[in-house]
Amino acid sequence: MSAKFCPKCGNELKEGAKFCPKCGAQIVQNLQPNGANTNGAQNQNVVPNQSAEQAKNYAKDFFKWFWESVKHPSLSGKASNKYFGLTSFVASAVFAILSIMLITSKINGAIDLASSGLGGDTASSLVVVFQNLVSDGAGKVELFSVLMIVVFVALAYGFRAFAVAGTGEKTDFFEFINKLAAYTNISVMLSAIMFLFLLIGGLIALPLNMFIFLFVVINDLIGFTYAIIDGQNSNKFDKLYVLLLAHLSLVIVFFIVFIKSLTA
């Protein structure tokens, strides 16, 4: 009996295999109507995994768009997929949560190390109390970070619609989010860099990360501003007043979310 090979990667297949063990491609067996093929053996063809191919193409197109937006935020053009912007903001939230989790782990580890020379039940109880406080605070910061990303996007979209009121321009949500993400994708990249610094340097990297975080905040505010006033001006409202209201709203909501996160 002749050997069978995967038409996609060329890996040798076992008789009757339904999937290639190397590349994961699905193998289907084409049989004649009478149940046997012309050679008396099963003729196997590969069926590409469409979900995997779509995910691969999405990732490739996303990173291409992402990199172009980092190099030229205001010239990146229209994204080829309406979900690219949402993907960027989700990635930003993920990096924020991972960084906070990592900092929490490092701080709790430092507490363990500092208390290793101490003995007694009292010392152990204090360590647990401090670690619980750190973990509880980290959870509140994570909640605050995610909520502020949601607020950031919602306010930018709302004030963009407000800014173009009366001009006839329709503010498509996904198209706007892609534009806003293009203006702020450098912040996502810097968030990833901060996470790597924490992963490699631990708590020693915190001072440098605080400096980078300041740049992230400034970049996000510039992107927030630019996304709102870019293009047409409203026939009813001056851009300057729209921006004044937008930033004032952002500050007010910031404090509301901050207080709510602390009391959650």
PDB file of all heavy atoms in Angstrom, residues 180-218:
ATOM      1  N   LEU A 180      -9.739  56.581  15.774  1.00  0.00           N
ATOM      2  CA  LEU A 180      -9.247  56.903  17.117  1.00  0.00           C
ATOM      3  C   LEU A 180      -8.098  55.979  17.514  1.00  0.00           C
ATOM      4  O   LEU A 180      -7.099  56.427  18.092  1.00  0.00           O
ATOM      5  CB  LEU A 180     -10.392  56.786  18.126  1.00  0.00           C
ATOM      6  CG  LEU A 180     -10.057  57.042  19.595  1.00  0.00           C
ATOM      7  CD1 LEU A 180      -9.587  58.475  19.800  1.00  0.00           C
ATOM      8  CD2 LEU A 180     -11.269  56.752  20.479  1.00  0.00           C
ATOM      9  N   ALA A 181      -8.239  54.695  17.200  1.00  0.00           N
ATOM     10  CA  ALA A 181      -7.179  53.732  17.523  1.00  0.00           C
ATOM     11  C   ALA A 181      -5.909  54.042  16.737  1.00  0.00           C
ATOM     12  O   ALA A 181      -4.799  53.917  17.266  1.00  0.00           O
ATOM     13  CB  ALA A 181      -7.656  52.318  17.224  1.00  0.00           C
ATOM     14  N   ALA A 182      -6.067  54.449  15.480  1.00  0.00           N
ATOM     15  CA  ALA A 182      -4.892  54.779  14.669  1.00  0.00           C
ATOM     16  C   ALA A 182      -4.111  55.937  15.287  1.00  0.00           C
ATOM     17  O   ALA A 182      -2.870  55.962  15.255  1.00  0.00           O
ATOM     18  CB  ALA A 182      -5.320  55.139  13.246  1.00  0.00           C
ATOM     19  N   TYR A 183      -4.819  56.890  15.882  1.00  0.00           N
ATOM     20  CA  TYR A 183      -4.163  58.032  16.510  1.00  0.00           C
ATOM     21  C   TYR A 183      -3.496  57.652  17.837  1.00  0.00           C
ATOM     22  O   TYR A 183      -2.604  58.377  18.299  1.00  0.00           O
ATOM     23  CB  TYR A 183      -5.172  59.153  16.770  1.00  0.00           C
ATOM     24  CG  TYR A 183      -5.786  59.747  15.528  1.00  0.00           C
ATOM     25  CD1 TYR A 183      -7.055  60.314  15.561  1.00  0.00           C
ATOM     26  CD2 TYR A 183      -5.106  59.748  14.313  1.00  0.00           C
ATOM     27  CE1 TYR A 183      -7.623  60.868  14.424  1.00  0.00           C
ATOM     28  CE2 TYR A 183      -5.668  60.293  13.175  1.00  0.00           C
ATOM     29  CZ  TYR A 183      -6.928  60.850  13.231  1.00  0.00           C
ATOM     30  OH  TYR A 183      -7.494  61.388  12.110  1.00  0.00           O
ATOM     31  N   THR A 184      -3.929  56.570  18.454  1.00  0.00           N
ATOM     32  CA  THR A 184      -3.425  56.218  19.788  1.00  0.00           C
ATOM     33  C   THR A 184      -2.730  54.852  19.843  1.00  0.00           C
ATOM     34  O   THR A 184      -2.416  54.376  20.936  1.00  0.00           O
ATOM     35  CB  THR A 184      -4.591  56.222  20.804  1.00  0.00           C
ATOM     36  OG1 THR A 184      -5.611  55.311  20.369  1.00  0.00           O
ATOM     37  CG2 THR A 184      -5.198  57.602  20.935  1.00  0.00           C
ATOM     38  N   ASN A 185      -2.495  54.237  18.696  1.00  0.00           N
ATOM     39  CA  ASN A 185      -1.862  52.913  18.708  1.00  0.00           C
ATOM     40  C   ASN A 185      -0.445  52.933  19.263  1.00  0.00           C
ATOM     41  O   ASN A 185       0.044  51.919  19.770  1.00  0.00           O
ATOM     42  CB  ASN A 185      -1.845  52.307  17.298  1.00  0.00           C
ATOM     43  CG  ASN A 185      -3.112  51.529  17.004  1.00  0.00           C
ATOM     44  OD1 ASN A 185      -3.823  51.109  17.906  1.00  0.00           O
ATOM     45  ND2 ASN A 185      -3.395  51.332  15.725  1.00  0.00           N
ATOM     46  N   ILE A 186       0.210  54.072  19.176  1.00  0.00           N
ATOM     47  CA  ILE A 186       1.545  54.149  19.761  1.00  0.00           C
ATOM     48  C   ILE A 186       1.482  53.926  21.272  1.00  0.00           C
ATOM     49  O   ILE A 186       2.412  53.383  21.879  1.00  0.00           O
ATOM     50  CB  ILE A 186       2.222  55.504  19.432  1.00  0.00           C
ATOM     51  CG1 ILE A 186       3.702  55.472  19.845  1.00  0.00           C
ATOM     52  CG2 ILE A 186       1.498  56.650  20.106  1.00  0.00           C
ATOM     53  CD1 ILE A 186       4.483  56.672  19.377  1.00  0.00           C
ATOM     54  N   SER A 187       0.357  54.298  21.882  1.00  0.00           N
ATOM     55  CA  SER A 187       0.176  54.053  23.314  1.00  0.00           C
ATOM     56  C   SER A 187       0.055  52.565  23.606  1.00  0.00           C
ATOM     57  O   SER A 187       0.536  52.078  24.633  1.00  0.00           O
ATOM     58  CB  SER A 187      -1.079  54.779  23.818  1.00  0.00           C
ATOM     59  OG  SER A 187      -0.929  56.174  23.708  1.00  0.00           O
ATOM     60  N   VAL A 188      -0.594  51.833  22.705  1.00  0.00           N
ATOM     61  CA  VAL A 188      -0.695  50.376  22.859  1.00  0.00           C
ATOM     62  C   VAL A 188       0.691  49.749  22.773  1.00  0.00           C
ATOM     63  O   VAL A 188       1.042  48.870  23.564  1.00  0.00           O
ATOM     64  CB  VAL A 188      -1.622  49.771  21.787  1.00  0.00           C
ATOM     65  CG1 VAL A 188      -1.746  48.256  21.978  1.00  0.00           C
ATOM     66  CG2 VAL A 188      -2.998  50.415  21.828  1.00  0.00           C
ATOM     67  N   MET A 189       1.478  50.217  21.818  1.00  0.00           N
ATOM     68  CA  MET A 189       2.840  49.705  21.668  1.00  0.00           C
ATOM     69  C   MET A 189       3.680  50.000  22.911  1.00  0.00           C
ATOM     70  O   MET A 189       4.425  49.137  23.403  1.00  0.00           O
ATOM     71  CB  MET A 189       3.503  50.310  20.429  1.00  0.00           C
ATOM     72  CG  MET A 189       4.885  49.737  20.115  1.00  0.00           C
ATOM     73  SD  MET A 189       5.635  50.494  18.662  1.00  0.00           S
ATOM     74  CE  MET A 189       5.994  52.133  19.301  1.00  0.00           C
ATOM     75  N   LEU A 190       3.539  51.195  23.441  1.00  0.00           N
ATOM     76  CA  LEU A 190       4.284  51.565  24.650  1.00  0.00           C
ATOM     77  C   LEU A 190       3.802  50.765  25.861  1.00  0.00           C
ATOM     78  O   LEU A 190       4.601  50.427  26.744  1.00  0.00           O
ATOM     79  CB  LEU A 190       4.141  53.057  24.916  1.00  0.00           C
ATOM     80  CG  LEU A 190       4.854  53.977  23.916  1.00  0.00           C
ATOM     81  CD1 LEU A 190       4.521  55.430  24.207  1.00  0.00           C
ATOM     82  CD2 LEU A 190       6.357  53.761  23.943  1.00  0.00           C
ATOM     83  N   SER A 191       2.517  50.440  25.900  1.00  0.00           N
ATOM     84  CA  SER A 191       1.992  49.601  26.984  1.00  0.00           C
ATOM     85  C   SER A 191       2.621  48.219  26.938  1.00  0.00           C
ATOM     86  O   SER A 191       2.949  47.635  27.979  1.00  0.00           O
ATOM     87  CB  SER A 191       0.473  49.494  26.874  1.00  0.00           C
ATOM     88  OG  SER A 191      -0.139  50.753  27.043  1.00  0.00           O
ATOM     89  N   ALA A 192       2.786  47.690  25.730  1.00  0.00           N
ATOM     90  CA  ALA A 192       3.442  46.397  25.580  1.00  0.00           C
ATOM     91  C   ALA A 192       4.899  46.469  26.023  1.00  0.00           C
ATOM     92  O   ALA A 192       5.421  45.549  26.672  1.00  0.00           O
ATOM     93  CB  ALA A 192       3.355  45.934  24.126  1.00  0.00           C
ATOM     94  N   ILE A 193       5.571  47.577  25.701  1.00  0.00           N
ATOM     95  CA  ILE A 193       6.966  47.767  26.107  1.00  0.00           C
ATOM     96  C   ILE A 193       7.071  47.859  27.632  1.00  0.00           C
ATOM     97  O   ILE A 193       7.972  47.268  28.245  1.00  0.00           O
ATOM     98  CB  ILE A 193       7.547  49.029  25.448  1.00  0.00           C
ATOM     99  CG1 ILE A 193       7.672  48.805  23.932  1.00  0.00           C
ATOM    100  CG2 ILE A 193       8.906  49.379  26.047  1.00  0.00           C
ATOM    101  CD1 ILE A 193       8.087  50.044  23.165  1.00  0.00           C
ATOM    102  N   MET A 194       6.141  48.572  28.262  1.00  0.00           N
ATOM    103  CA  MET A 194       6.154  48.679  29.721  1.00  0.00           C
ATOM    104  C   MET A 194       5.970  47.309  30.376  1.00  0.00           C
ATOM    105  O   MET A 194       6.612  46.995  31.386  1.00  0.00           O
ATOM    106  CB  MET A 194       5.059  49.639  30.188  1.00  0.00           C
ATOM    107  CG  MET A 194       5.363  51.099  29.925  1.00  0.00           C
ATOM    108  SD  MET A 194       4.216  52.236  30.784  1.00  0.00           S
ATOM    109  CE  MET A 194       2.705  51.928  29.867  1.00  0.00           C
ATOM    110  N   PHE A 195       5.091  46.509  29.796  1.00  0.00           N
ATOM    111  CA  PHE A 195       4.883  45.153  30.328  1.00  0.00           C
ATOM    112  C   PHE A 195       6.159  44.324  30.218  1.00  0.00           C
ATOM    113  O   PHE A 195       6.536  43.609  31.157  1.00  0.00           O
ATOM    114  CB  PHE A 195       3.745  44.467  29.578  1.00  0.00           C
ATOM    115  CG  PHE A 195       3.555  43.018  29.947  1.00  0.00           C
ATOM    116  CD1 PHE A 195       3.031  42.674  31.191  1.00  0.00           C
ATOM    117  CD2 PHE A 195       3.922  42.011  29.075  1.00  0.00           C
ATOM    118  CE1 PHE A 195       2.867  41.339  31.547  1.00  0.00           C
ATOM    119  CE2 PHE A 195       3.763  40.677  29.421  1.00  0.00           C
ATOM    120  CZ  PHE A 195       3.235  40.342  30.665  1.00  0.00           C
ATOM    121  N   LEU A 196       6.858  44.442  29.092  1.00  0.00           N
ATOM    122  CA  LEU A 196       8.114  43.705  28.915  1.00  0.00           C
ATOM    123  C   LEU A 196       9.174  44.177  29.900  1.00  0.00           C
ATOM    124  O   LEU A 196       9.929  43.367  30.449  1.00  0.00           O
ATOM    125  CB  LEU A 196       8.616  43.864  27.473  1.00  0.00           C
ATOM    126  CG  LEU A 196       7.824  43.136  26.393  1.00  0.00           C
ATOM    127  CD1 LEU A 196       8.378  43.463  25.011  1.00  0.00           C
ATOM    128  CD2 LEU A 196       7.852  41.628  26.618  1.00  0.00           C
ATOM    129  N   PHE A 197       9.239  45.478  30.138  1.00  0.00           N
ATOM    130  CA  PHE A 197      10.190  46.015  31.117  1.00  0.00           C
ATOM    131  C   PHE A 197       9.918  45.448  32.504  1.00  0.00           C
ATOM    132  O   PHE A 197      10.844  45.086  33.247  1.00  0.00           O
ATOM    133  CB  PHE A 197      10.124  47.541  31.153  1.00  0.00           C
ATOM    134  CG  PHE A 197      10.819  48.218  30.003  1.00  0.00           C
ATOM    135  CD1 PHE A 197      10.642  49.580  29.758  1.00  0.00           C
ATOM    136  CD2 PHE A 197      11.632  47.504  29.154  1.00  0.00           C
ATOM    137  CE1 PHE A 197      11.289  50.199  28.707  1.00  0.00           C
ATOM    138  CE2 PHE A 197      12.277  48.115  28.078  1.00  0.00           C
ATOM    139  CZ  PHE A 197      12.101  49.465  27.858  1.00  0.00           C
ATOM    140  N   LEU A 198       8.638  45.378  32.868  1.00  0.00           N
ATOM    141  CA  LEU A 198       8.275  44.807  34.165  1.00  0.00           C
ATOM    142  C   LEU A 198       8.623  43.327  34.224  1.00  0.00           C
ATOM    143  O   LEU A 198       9.088  42.827  35.262  1.00  0.00           O
ATOM    144  CB  LEU A 198       6.781  44.989  34.422  1.00  0.00           C
ATOM    145  CG  LEU A 198       6.304  46.388  34.803  1.00  0.00           C
ATOM    146  CD1 LEU A 198       4.784  46.443  34.798  1.00  0.00           C
ATOM    147  CD2 LEU A 198       6.846  46.782  36.170  1.00  0.00           C
ATOM    148  N   LEU A 199       8.401  42.647  33.135  1.00  0.00           N
ATOM    149  CA  LEU A 199       8.666  41.215  33.083  1.00  0.00           C
ATOM    150  C   LEU A 199      10.159  40.935  33.246  1.00  0.00           C
ATOM    151  O   LEU A 199      10.556  39.976  33.919  1.00  0.00           O
ATOM    152  CB  LEU A 199       8.170  40.647  31.740  1.00  0.00           C
ATOM    153  CG  LEU A 199       7.946  39.139  31.633  1.00  0.00           C
ATOM    154  CD1 LEU A 199       6.891  38.671  32.613  1.00  0.00           C
ATOM    155  CD2 LEU A 199       7.546  38.770  30.210  1.00  0.00           C
ATOM    156  N   ILE A 200      10.979  41.787  32.646  1.00  0.00           N
ATOM    157  CA  ILE A 200      12.429  41.579  32.679  1.00  0.00           C
ATOM    158  C   ILE A 200      13.061  42.197  33.941  1.00  0.00           C
ATOM    159  O   ILE A 200      13.860  41.560  34.620  1.00  0.00           O
ATOM    160  CB  ILE A 200      13.085  42.176  31.419  1.00  0.00           C
ATOM    161  CG1 ILE A 200      12.573  41.450  30.160  1.00  0.00           C
ATOM    162  CG2 ILE A 200      14.607  42.074  31.495  1.00  0.00           C
ATOM    163  CD1 ILE A 200      12.993  42.105  28.868  1.00  0.00           C
ATOM    164  N   GLY A 201      12.687  43.439  34.237  1.00  0.00           N
ATOM    165  CA  GLY A 201      13.349  44.166  35.323  1.00  0.00           C
ATOM    166  C   GLY A 201      12.626  44.163  36.648  1.00  0.00           C
ATOM    167  O   GLY A 201      13.195  44.582  37.655  1.00  0.00           O
ATOM    168  N   GLY A 202      11.365  43.709  36.660  1.00  0.00           N
ATOM    169  CA  GLY A 202      10.609  43.705  37.904  1.00  0.00           C
ATOM    170  C   GLY A 202      10.305  45.115  38.388  1.00  0.00           C
ATOM    171  O   GLY A 202      10.136  46.051  37.595  1.00  0.00           O
ATOM    172  N   LEU A 203      10.276  45.285  39.695  1.00  0.00           N
ATOM    173  CA  LEU A 203       9.916  46.576  40.282  1.00  0.00           C
ATOM    174  C   LEU A 203      10.942  47.662  39.988  1.00  0.00           C
ATOM    175  O   LEU A 203      10.632  48.859  40.077  1.00  0.00           O
ATOM    176  CB  LEU A 203       9.743  46.427  41.795  1.00  0.00           C
ATOM    177  CG  LEU A 203       8.606  45.496  42.247  1.00  0.00           C
ATOM    178  CD1 LEU A 203       8.575  45.405  43.769  1.00  0.00           C
ATOM    179  CD2 LEU A 203       7.261  45.971  41.712  1.00  0.00           C
ATOM    180  N   ILE A 204      12.155  47.261  39.621  1.00  0.00           N
ATOM    181  CA  ILE A 204      13.191  48.248  39.278  1.00  0.00           C
ATOM    182  C   ILE A 204      12.778  49.065  38.059  1.00  0.00           C
ATOM    183  O   ILE A 204      13.191  50.215  37.895  1.00  0.00           O
ATOM    184  CB  ILE A 204      14.536  47.529  39.014  1.00  0.00           C
ATOM    185  CG1 ILE A 204      14.999  46.790  40.275  1.00  0.00           C
ATOM    186  CG2 ILE A 204      15.604  48.499  38.550  1.00  0.00           C
ATOM    187  CD1 ILE A 204      16.256  45.978  40.088  1.00  0.00           C
ATOM    188  N   ALA A 205      11.944  48.471  37.200  1.00  0.00           N
ATOM    189  CA  ALA A 205      11.526  49.146  35.973  1.00  0.00           C
ATOM    190  C   ALA A 205      10.412  50.162  36.204  1.00  0.00           C
ATOM    191  O   ALA A 205      10.044  50.895  35.282  1.00  0.00           O
ATOM    192  CB  ALA A 205      11.066  48.111  34.945  1.00  0.00           C
ATOM    193  N   LEU A 206       9.865  50.223  37.411  1.00  0.00           N
ATOM    194  CA  LEU A 206       8.724  51.113  37.670  1.00  0.00           C
ATOM    195  C   LEU A 206       9.014  52.595  37.394  1.00  0.00           C
ATOM    196  O   LEU A 206       8.183  53.278  36.784  1.00  0.00           O
ATOM    197  CB  LEU A 206       8.235  50.928  39.107  1.00  0.00           C
ATOM    198  CG  LEU A 206       7.305  49.729  39.346  1.00  0.00           C
ATOM    199  CD1 LEU A 206       6.916  49.653  40.817  1.00  0.00           C
ATOM    200  CD2 LEU A 206       6.055  49.840  38.480  1.00  0.00           C
ATOM    201  N   PRO A 207      10.158  53.150  37.824  1.00  0.00           N
ATOM    202  CA  PRO A 207      10.413  54.577  37.528  1.00  0.00           C
ATOM    203  C   PRO A 207      10.420  54.872  36.031  1.00  0.00           C
ATOM    204  O   PRO A 207       9.838  55.873  35.593  1.00  0.00           O
ATOM    205  CB  PRO A 207      11.794  54.815  38.156  1.00  0.00           C
ATOM    206  CG  PRO A 207      11.890  53.791  39.236  1.00  0.00           C
ATOM    207  CD  PRO A 207      11.203  52.580  38.699  1.00  0.00           C
ATOM    208  N   LEU A 208      11.065  54.013  35.251  1.00  0.00           N
ATOM    209  CA  LEU A 208      11.082  54.209  33.800  1.00  0.00           C
ATOM    210  C   LEU A 208       9.682  54.064  33.226  1.00  0.00           C
ATOM    211  O   LEU A 208       9.268  54.832  32.344  1.00  0.00           O
ATOM    212  CB  LEU A 208      12.022  53.187  33.150  1.00  0.00           C
ATOM    213  CG  LEU A 208      12.088  53.208  31.610  1.00  0.00           C
ATOM    214  CD1 LEU A 208      12.555  54.575  31.116  1.00  0.00           C
ATOM    215  CD2 LEU A 208      13.021  52.111  31.107  1.00  0.00           C
ATOM    216  N   ASN A 209       8.928  53.091  33.740  1.00  0.00           N
ATOM    217  CA  ASN A 209       7.565  52.885  33.257  1.00  0.00           C
ATOM    218  C   ASN A 209       6.659  54.070  33.581  1.00  0.00           C
ATOM    219  O   ASN A 209       5.744  54.383  32.813  1.00  0.00           O
ATOM    220  CB  ASN A 209       6.984  51.601  33.850  1.00  0.00           C
ATOM    221  CG  ASN A 209       7.383  50.367  33.064  1.00  0.00           C
ATOM    222  OD1 ASN A 209       8.218  50.438  32.173  1.00  0.00           O
ATOM    223  ND2 ASN A 209       6.799  49.232  33.384  1.00  0.00           N
ATOM    224  N   MET A 210       6.888  54.724  34.696  1.00  0.00           N
ATOM    225  CA  MET A 210       6.094  55.898  35.044  1.00  0.00           C
ATOM    226  C   MET A 210       6.340  57.023  34.039  1.00  0.00           C
ATOM    227  O   MET A 210       5.403  57.734  33.643  1.00  0.00           O
ATOM    228  CB  MET A 210       6.432  56.373  36.455  1.00  0.00           C
ATOM    229  CG  MET A 210       5.998  55.412  37.545  1.00  0.00           C
ATOM    230  SD  MET A 210       4.215  55.111  37.534  1.00  0.00           S
ATOM    231  CE  MET A 210       3.596  56.728  37.970  1.00  0.00           C
ATOM    232  N   PHE A 211       7.567  57.149  33.606  1.00  0.00           N
ATOM    233  CA  PHE A 211       7.893  58.157  32.592  1.00  0.00           C
ATOM    234  C   PHE A 211       7.215  57.811  31.267  1.00  0.00           C
ATOM    235  O   PHE A 211       6.656  58.688  30.594  1.00  0.00           O
ATOM    236  CB  PHE A 211       9.414  58.245  32.420  1.00  0.00           C
ATOM    237  CG  PHE A 211       9.846  59.191  31.335  1.00  0.00           C
ATOM    238  CD1 PHE A 211       9.833  60.563  31.553  1.00  0.00           C
ATOM    239  CD2 PHE A 211      10.253  58.707  30.099  1.00  0.00           C
ATOM    240  CE1 PHE A 211      10.227  61.443  30.546  1.00  0.00           C
ATOM    241  CE2 PHE A 211      10.643  59.583  29.094  1.00  0.00           C
ATOM    242  CZ  PHE A 211      10.625  60.954  29.325  1.00  0.00           C
ATOM    243  N   ILE A 212       7.281  56.544  30.871  1.00  0.00           N
ATOM    244  CA  ILE A 212       6.634  56.104  29.628  1.00  0.00           C
ATOM    245  C   ILE A 212       5.121  56.278  29.725  1.00  0.00           C
ATOM    246  O   ILE A 212       4.464  56.692  28.765  1.00  0.00           O
ATOM    247  CB  ILE A 212       6.987  54.631  29.317  1.00  0.00           C
ATOM    248  CG1 ILE A 212       8.498  54.477  29.113  1.00  0.00           C
ATOM    249  CG2 ILE A 212       6.248  54.139  28.072  1.00  0.00           C
ATOM    250  CD1 ILE A 212       8.948  53.042  28.920  1.00  0.00           C
ATOM    251  N   PHE A 213       4.572  55.983  30.904  1.00  0.00           N
ATOM    252  CA  PHE A 213       3.132  56.114  31.097  1.00  0.00           C
ATOM    253  C   PHE A 213       2.681  57.569  30.923  1.00  0.00           C
ATOM    254  O   PHE A 213       1.595  57.830  30.392  1.00  0.00           O
ATOM    255  CB  PHE A 213       2.738  55.610  32.490  1.00  0.00           C
ATOM    256  CG  PHE A 213       1.266  55.697  32.769  1.00  0.00           C
ATOM    257  CD1 PHE A 213       0.385  54.831  32.146  1.00  0.00           C
ATOM    258  CD2 PHE A 213       0.773  56.657  33.639  1.00  0.00           C
ATOM    259  CE1 PHE A 213      -0.980  54.921  32.394  1.00  0.00           C
ATOM    260  CE2 PHE A 213      -0.588  56.745  33.893  1.00  0.00           C
ATOM    261  CZ  PHE A 213      -1.470  55.873  33.265  1.00  0.00           C
ATOM    262  N   LEU A 214       3.502  58.503  31.355  1.00  0.00           N
ATOM    263  CA  LEU A 214       3.191  59.922  31.170  1.00  0.00           C
ATOM    264  C   LEU A 214       3.076  60.242  29.679  1.00  0.00           C
ATOM    265  O   LEU A 214       2.165  60.960  29.250  1.00  0.00           O
ATOM    266  CB  LEU A 214       4.268  60.792  31.816  1.00  0.00           C
ATOM    267  CG  LEU A 214       4.113  62.311  31.660  1.00  0.00           C
ATOM    268  CD1 LEU A 214       2.821  62.787  32.309  1.00  0.00           C
ATOM    269  CD2 LEU A 214       5.323  63.026  32.258  1.00  0.00           C
ATOM    270  N   PHE A 215       3.978  59.696  28.891  1.00  0.00           N
ATOM    271  CA  PHE A 215       3.933  59.892  27.436  1.00  0.00           C
ATOM    272  C   PHE A 215       2.676  59.249  26.853  1.00  0.00           C
ATOM    273  O   PHE A 215       2.059  59.787  25.919  1.00  0.00           O
ATOM    274  CB  PHE A 215       5.185  59.296  26.789  1.00  0.00           C
ATOM    275  CG  PHE A 215       5.292  59.565  25.321  1.00  0.00           C
ATOM    276  CD1 PHE A 215       5.831  60.752  24.850  1.00  0.00           C
ATOM    277  CD2 PHE A 215       4.828  58.644  24.389  1.00  0.00           C
ATOM    278  CE1 PHE A 215       5.913  61.011  23.491  1.00  0.00           C
ATOM    279  CE2 PHE A 215       4.912  58.883  23.034  1.00  0.00           C
ATOM    280  CZ  PHE A 215       5.454  60.083  22.581  1.00  0.00           C
ATOM    281  N   VAL A 216       2.282  58.083  27.386  1.00  0.00           N
ATOM    282  CA  VAL A 216       1.060  57.398  26.935  1.00  0.00           C
ATOM    283  C   VAL A 216      -0.161  58.280  27.164  1.00  0.00           C
ATOM    284  O   VAL A 216      -1.025  58.428  26.286  1.00  0.00           O
ATOM    285  CB  VAL A 216       0.889  56.041  27.662  1.00  0.00           C
ATOM    286  CG1 VAL A 216      -0.511  55.475  27.425  1.00  0.00           C
ATOM    287  CG2 VAL A 216       1.937  55.052  27.188  1.00  0.00           C
ATOM    288  N   VAL A 217      -0.243  58.880  28.344  1.00  0.00           N
ATOM    289  CA  VAL A 217      -1.383  59.751  28.678  1.00  0.00           C
ATOM    290  C   VAL A 217      -1.429  60.951  27.738  1.00  0.00           C
ATOM    291  O   VAL A 217      -2.492  61.313  27.209  1.00  0.00           O
ATOM    292  CB  VAL A 217      -1.301  60.220  30.142  1.00  0.00           C
ATOM    293  CG1 VAL A 217      -2.363  61.275  30.434  1.00  0.00           C
ATOM    294  CG2 VAL A 217      -1.459  59.036  31.088  1.00  0.00           C
ATOM    295  N   ILE A 218      -0.271  61.575  27.511  1.00  0.00           N
ATOM    296  CA  ILE A 218      -0.216  62.737  26.617  1.00  0.00           C
ATOM    297  C   ILE A 218      -0.632  62.342  25.203  1.00  0.00           C
ATOM    298  O   ILE A 218      -1.427  63.040  24.550  1.00  0.00           O
ATOM    299  CB  ILE A 218       1.203  63.343  26.610  1.00  0.00           C
ATOM    300  CG1 ILE A 218       1.528  63.930  27.981  1.00  0.00           C
ATOM    301  CG2 ILE A 218       1.333  64.415  25.531  1.00  0.00           C
ATOM    302  CD1 ILE A 218       2.963  64.384  28.121  1.00  0.00           C
TER     303      ILE A 218
END
